[in-house]
Structure formats: C-alpha cells, structure tokens
Amino acid sequence: MVSQPIPSELTNSVHEPKKPRATLRERLGHRGERRVGLLLSLPYITFNAIFWAVPFFWVFIIAFQHYNLLSPIRPFVGLTNFQAVFTSNALRYVSTATAEFFLVFVPVTTTTAILLALAVRRVRYLKALFLALFLLPSVSPQVGYSLVFKYMFAGDGVINHVTHAIGLPPVPWFTDPTIAMGSIAVVVAWRMAGYFALFFLASMQSISPSLYEAAQLDGASRWKIFWRVTWPMLNAALIVTLVLSVVTGFSLFAEPYLITNGGPLNATTSFIMILYQRAFNFLQLGFGAAWAIVTAAISLAIVTGLRRLLAQD
Amino acid sequence: MRARWVDAVSYLFLIAGSLWFLIPYAWLMLSSFKPTGQIMTTLWPSHWTFANYLFLVSSAVAAGYPFLRDAFNSVFIGAVDTIAVVVFGAMCGYSLARLRFFGKSWLGKFVTLQIIFPGVMFVVPVYVLITDMHLLNTYGAVILPGLMTPWSVFLFAQYFRGLPQELLDAARTEGATEWLIIRRIVMPLSASIFALVALFTFTASWDALLWPLIVISSHHLMPLTPAVSMFALSEYTSSNFIGAQMASAVLLTVPLLVLYVSFRKLFLQGINLSGGLQI
C-alpha cells in the first residue's frame, strides 16, 4: 500500500451534507447539466459495476463452493469453507502474529510520530527538508526497502556488527520466532512513522496560539501544556492513524513475504500471505474467498469501532 | 519565552529521525557498488565496482530475469493506469461535485462504500473474472482492474467542490455550454489536483506486488516489483548474489525517489488536502 491521501474519507463523506429539500427542478438541474453529469459518470459506473459490484457478490458465491482451479466441477458445499477457516491452525497463528504486529507497531509509530511533529513544529531552520524526509520512506518501493532491512538486520548483518563492536550480543532479529514479528513491525514503522507525523502536525497547527498564550500566562509547565492543550486536540489525528495502522496490519504482505516468508514457525505470517498461499499456490479459491471475507470482516469491525470513537468527539 | 534547550532537543531528535529514514538508502546505494563479499561486513566499499549492475543486464537476463524489459513494463502499465484514473476520476468527480443529475446521491454513496470495503475481498473474484476473460498472463490482467479508482473520484470531487460557484454560474449566464465551462474554467484551475492524483496513482502502480505476482507468470510481461521480488527469492537468494539483489533494488527504488524529490511539494500537498497541513 502506497500512502495515498485516503484518510479524509474517514472524516468526510463523498455526498454533500443534507440541505433543506429542494424542488424537483433544482434537484435534477438543467437539461444540459443532467445529460453531461450522467455522461461524465457513466464510464465509472459501468466499469465499477463489472470490476467492483460483480466481484463483491461473486466472492460470497465462491466462498460457498468447492472451487479448485484444477477442477471444472464446483459444487456448492454450504459453510464448509468457513468451517475450514475457523478450524484452521492458520487463523490461530495469523491472529497471534497480527496482534503482535499491532502491539509493536502502534506504540512505536504513535510515539515517534508525535515527537517528530512536536519537534518539527518547533524548529525554524530546515523545516521543509525535515518534512520532505518524513514522507520519503512511504513513497519508497516496499520490495526495495524490505530487501535492505532483510540484510541489514540479518544474523551476520551490519546492525549486529555494530552492536557487537559496542559489546552487545547479536540479536536474531528475523530468525527468533518471539521477536520476528516485532522486527517486521519496526520495518513497517520506518515506512509509516513520518507519514503519521504529518497528520499530528496538521492537528497541532489547527490549535489556536491564544490557547498556548493563556496557558503560559497561567504559569502552566511545558508538560502540563502538552497534556492539557495539545494532547486533547490530537484525538482526531490519533484515530486516523490508528485506522491506517489497522489497514496496514491487515494488508501486510511485501515485508514478511520478502524478509521472512512468514517464518520462523509461521511467526510472521500475515492474513494476506495465507490468502496468497491457499488461493494461488494450493489453488483452493473457495477457501481463499472465505478467508478473504473473514479477514475483511475483522478489519472492518475494528475500523468501524474506531470511527465510532471519532464520531463521538 | 523560547527555551534554548527545547530547540536543541528538537533539532537533535529531527536529525536522529532523518538519519533513521536515510540510512537504509545509503546502505542500499553503497552495497550495490560493493564486491559481494563486503556487503555484510564492511560499511564503506574498499573499491567500487559495477559488477552487480553488469550482472543485472547480462547474466540475469540470460537466466530469465530481463530487468530492463520489466522496468519498461512497469512504466507502460503505470502510464496507462495513471492516464485512465486521472481522466475517468476527474470526469466522475466533477459530475459528483458540480452537476445535478439522476442517481447522483446514490453514486456518491457507492464511491464511499467502495473506499470502505477492504481490497482483500476482491482478489479472488477479480482473479476468476480475469481468468474467464482469458486475460491471465497479459498486460491487460494488471492494467484492467486499476483503470478507475474510488479514491481518485473522491479527491477530484473534494477539490472541484471548492471552486467558486459564482464563476461557473457567470459562465452559464453568458451562455457557455457545460463542456466549455469544463475546458476553459475548471481544467485550468485544477492542474495541481490532476498532477497529485497522477503521482499517487503511478507510485501505487509501480509499488504493487501481490496482484501482478498472481496474474503474471511470464518474466517478460512482469512489472519490475514482482520481478525483483521473484529474483530475490529464487535460486539467486544465496549470499553470492546479494550484490545483484541490491542493484535490482536500486533499479526499483531510484525512479520513485527521483519522482518524489522532483514533486515533493505536491506529495506533501496530498496529505494537506485531507489533513489541513500548512507547509
């Protein structure tokens, strides 16, 4: 996932806010407008009927079929595929691995991003350069930096050489199952932390300076000013970055695929990796479809919960 | 009240952060010019070599990894998708933002729905669709599903909604047709959003791994991203070929870096659009 400017859809919606009900003529517009409007959106509607709406329903049909690419017979098998998903070992270890990912990724990115934003808001020189560097990793090809981190953090890689030089024992970053997913999370955090910082910075910039002046006049400490004035205003940015974190965690693929290939002992296998293995290596599309639906349902449930939190503010 | 030490800590933290962001690139570039034996052990190459790059354009090609051809594939696929996403996204976004027509509010809800549902759901059925269209292992398999994206419609609609209504109304009173308004008023005012959507689309297309990996098996039709990843996981995964892997990673990374450095203002503006960032 390249960092696209998506987050606004979380706070806005495409359709306009409700206005008082207009007359029919107002709602339908002039004749020319009507024709042009429909003409302009027709390609999009047609295309997405085929490549979005049809697959949207089709995935549910496939999930109820025994759909193996090698066999032309695709009988309906009821809930068998979902049963297979829920009783599979894969769901257990992938859930554990994904939870571990969030456990490391969320604190690391959130702390780093807030500190980066606080720092860059403060400085006067080189601001543009720092901002440009923040976004640099998130537009960098995933396959490229995954290979870099794979060898930098390898058992005999440069990081362990450096730590050895200062007298620390080597760390098996990607080969010890207890820390491998944490290491992957740090790699992904490298990509996302600066990007997240930009959201926190935008929130901070929206705080009126008079609030800070008032707090300073009252003699509040720096620490107190951060927690009482700045922190409450970061709520929206926090939820947006949390939603992006969830999306990142559930679409994780390139990093574990290249660095660990899901190992050691499946400790870094992600939801998408199982989809890839089962549907396209083992050609079990029925299982793959059911797996994809379960994955989507879990991530959607979490994202919806987070958006509720945002709406409450 | 400006405390010096807070400034100092801020700069220190930003410099540390910048190093954290930059070191992997430095290591990548240096490694690609090192003799393979030195990559894991030495920071600075004892002598610079082009052997890794020569390997990419000779031995790797002979072994079935035509990297330059794959780079061309990436550019071609990315260009077609980018042009389509920009053209159709702008059309649909404009109609949503600025025109009244039957079904408009449904279309708006549909686009929101598309953005909400995760892409993972669509991998299997779109694969079946592409297979049934007999497009597997063709450019079409990669290009077709990326021709139109909901988030481009969303961004265009958001931007066009910000254009002053009086301008369009004035033109309409003067008797201008809708097409004339779009071509003479809307388009010239919207160059930045067109560039922005184009940049993000091309970057995303260049970076795509999972989908091309699934639908393309021929190394001659493959984009660069899956090609580099297959090379790194193939028989060339052994430590003798780390140098060549690094050179292929450079080939993959540098074009996007150049794009980013040239258009960094626009990329940052993309975040600005949604977050209200002041640069």
Side-chain angles (χ1 to χ4, degrees):
Chain A
M1 183 197 82
V2 161
S3 52
Q4 292 162 347
I6 31 172
S8 48
E9 100 269 2
L10 305 165
T11 46
N12 304 314
S13 60
V14 173
H15 40 94
E16 281 153 14
K18 277 222 159 63
K19 285 177 203 148
R21 200 162 173 79
T23 64
L24 193 66
R25 165 137 298 267
E26 268 172 11
R27 271 189 293 140
L28 291 182
H30 313 289
R31 219 173 127 246
E33 212 180 323
R34 233 165 26 223
R35 211 185 50 223
V36 175
L38 205 57
L39 263 177
L40 285 179
S41 44
L42 209 55
Y44 186 84
I45 297 170
T46 318
F47 177 86
N48 282 284
I50 301 168
F51 280 93
W52 197 88
V54 169
F56 183 85
F57 293 106
W58 206 346
V59 70
F60 287 94
I61 298 173
I62 297 171
F64 288 103
Q65 282 176 306
H66 180 79
Y67 201 121
N68 191 309
L69 272 182
L70 298 178
S71 146
I73 307 151
R74 283 141 196 179
F76 280 91
V77 290
L79 288 168
T80 312
N81 287 322
F82 287 97
Q83 247 169 15
V85 167
F86 283 112
T87 54
S88 65
N89 263 336
L91 189 64
R92 197 174 38 76
Y93 62 64
V94 166
S95 303
T96 315
T98 308
E100 276 172 23
F101 174 85
F102 288 129
L103 220 57
V104 175
F105 182 78
V106 170
V108 169
T109 48
T110 309
T111 329
T112 322
I114 292 179
L115 287 175
L116 284 173
L118 281 171
V120 83
R121 184 182 61 155
R122 173 102 197 164
V123 301
R124 245 178 294 178
Y125 306 104
L126 298 175
K127 202 169 184 157
L129 176 72
F130 288 132
L131 284 175
L133 285 177
F134 283 6
L135 202 55
L136 180 69
S138 62
V139 295
S140 191
Q142 291 170 293
V143 170
Y145 71 73
S146 294
L147 289 175
V148 170
F149 282 108
K150 178 180 185 173
Y151 296 117
M152 276 181 76
F153 285 86
D156 55 351
V158 64
I159 300 294
N160 276 332
H161 279 289
V162 172
T163 52
H164 180 74
I166 54 174
L168 294 170
V171 180
W173 297 103
F174 294 124
T175 43
D176 178 348
T178 47
I179 60 164
M181 197 48 161
S183 307
I184 296 275
V186 172
V187 172
V188 185
W190 172 82
R191 172 188 179 80
M192 301 297 273
Y195 175 52
F196 285 3
L198 297 174
F199 291 103
F200 288 111
L201 182 62
S203 279
M204 288 176 192
Q205 285 172 340
S206 69
I207 305 172
S208 151
S210 62
L211 275 176
Y212 288 106
E213 281 158 24
Q216 277 175 0
L217 282 180
D218 289 345
S221 67
R222 241 169 249 293
W223 186 249
K224 212 163 183 180
I225 291 178
F226 174 77
W227 287 111
R228 292 289 170 78
V229 182
T230 312
W231 177 252
M233 296 298 285
L234 297 186
N235 246 340
L238 191 66
I239 286 175
V240 169
T241 57
L242 278 177
V243 168
L244 283 174
S245 301
V246 172
V247 172
T248 307
F250 281 93
S251 52
L252 191 66
F253 178 68
E255 292 88 352
Y257 179 68
L258 279 148
I259 299 176
T260 56
N261 203 6
L265 300 172
N266 296 319
T268 59
T269 310
S270 68
F271 276 95
I272 302 287
M273 286 187 79
I274 293 289
L275 173 71
Y276 179 67
Q277 283 169 13
R278 296 298 285 264
F280 301 102
N281 288 346
F282 304 161
L283 308 178
Q284 301 164 340
L285 289 188
F287 182 93
W291 181 269
I293 291 169
V294 171
T295 308
I298 300 172
S299 81
L300 250 163
I302 300 176
V303 168
T304 313
L306 287 169
R307 290 177 66 172
R308 285 264 162 76
L309 279 180
L310 181 66
Q312 274 171 10
D313 277 349
Chain B
M1 193 186 80
R2 280 190 77 84
R4 280 293 175 84
W5 68 270
V6 183
D7 284 342
V9 170
S10 298
Y11 276 110
L12 272 179
F13 190 72
L14 286 173
I15 291 166
S18 304
L19 283 179
W20 185 42
F21 293 144
L22 283 175
I23 282 174
Y25 297 102
W27 190 84
L28 169 65
M29 298 297 168
L30 288 174
S31 298
S32 73
F33 291 107
K34 278 180 209 166
T36 292
Q38 292 188 2
I39 291 177
M40 301 302 260
T41 53
T42 337
L43 221 52
W44 198 260
S46 68
H47 65 277
W48 299 71
T49 170
F50 283 98
N52 298 322
Y53 290 95
L54 286 176
F55 183 88
L56 278 196
V57 293
S58 56
S59 309
V61 179
Y65 291 95
F67 282 110
L68 292 180
R69 163 78 198 240
D70 296 339
F72 164 79
N73 293 340
S74 276
V75 173
F76 175 70
I77 291 165
V80 175
D81 273 348
T82 302
I83 293 168
V85 164
V86 166
V87 170
F88 294 115
M91 282 163 55
C92 187
Y94 181 75
S95 70
L96 268 179
R98 281 302 179 184
L99 301 169
R100 290 161 293 185
F101 58 94
F102 179 72
K104 170 182 162 164
S105 67
W106 291 336
L107 182 59
K109 283 179 186 129
F110 178 66
V111 174
T112 316
L113 215 73
Q114 283 187 289
I115 292 176
I116 290 171
F117 276 95
V120 54
M121 281 178 68
F122 298 86
V123 177
V124 169
V126 175
Y127 175 81
V128 172
L129 194 64
I130 291 289
T131 312
D132 287 354
M133 290 170 149
H134 300 288
L135 285 175
L136 223 51
N137 206 18
T138 64
Y139 281 138
V142 194
I143 292 174
L144 208 54
L147 281 181
M148 300 180 208
T149 57
W151 69 268
S152 69
V153 172
F154 179 83
L155 285 181
F156 276 116
Q158 200 179 28
Y159 184 90
F160 290 143
R161 213 165 276 144
L163 295 178
Q165 179 68 47
E166 304 80 46
L167 212 61
L168 308 189
D169 282 344
R172 270 185 204 126
T173 350
E174 300 279 320
T177 62
E178 294 298 327
W179 293 117
L180 200 69
I181 294 173
I182 292 170
R183 270 185 36 222
R184 289 294 166 79
I185 301 174
V186 176
M187 301 260 295
L189 284 174
S190 315
S192 67
I193 189 75
F194 277 88
L196 184 89
V197 172
L199 278 175
F200 278 98
T201 308
F202 187 83
T203 312
S205 159
W206 184 276
D207 199 32
L209 173 64
L210 181 68
W211 183 251
L213 213 51
I214 291 169
V215 291
I216 304 277
S217 50
S218 155
H219 287 196
H220 284 272
L221 296 173
M222 197 169 265
L224 196 55
T225 296
V228 168
S229 99
M230 286 187 84
F231 178 70
L233 298 174
S234 69
E235 65 272 23
Y236 294 100
T237 197
S238 83
S239 54
N240 293 334
F241 298 100
I242 294 181
Q245 286 183 40
M246 289 302 114
S248 72
V250 169
L251 187 64
L252 180 69
T253 307
V254 164
L256 282 200
L257 290 192
V258 170
L259 204 65
Y260 176 65
V261 172
S262 326
F263 297 102
R264 59 192 178 282
K265 279 261 164 61
L266 268 171
F267 275 99
L268 282 165
Q269 247 177 44
I271 311 304
N272 187 11
L273 262 189
S274 38
L277 181 74
Q278 293 149 33
I279 306 161

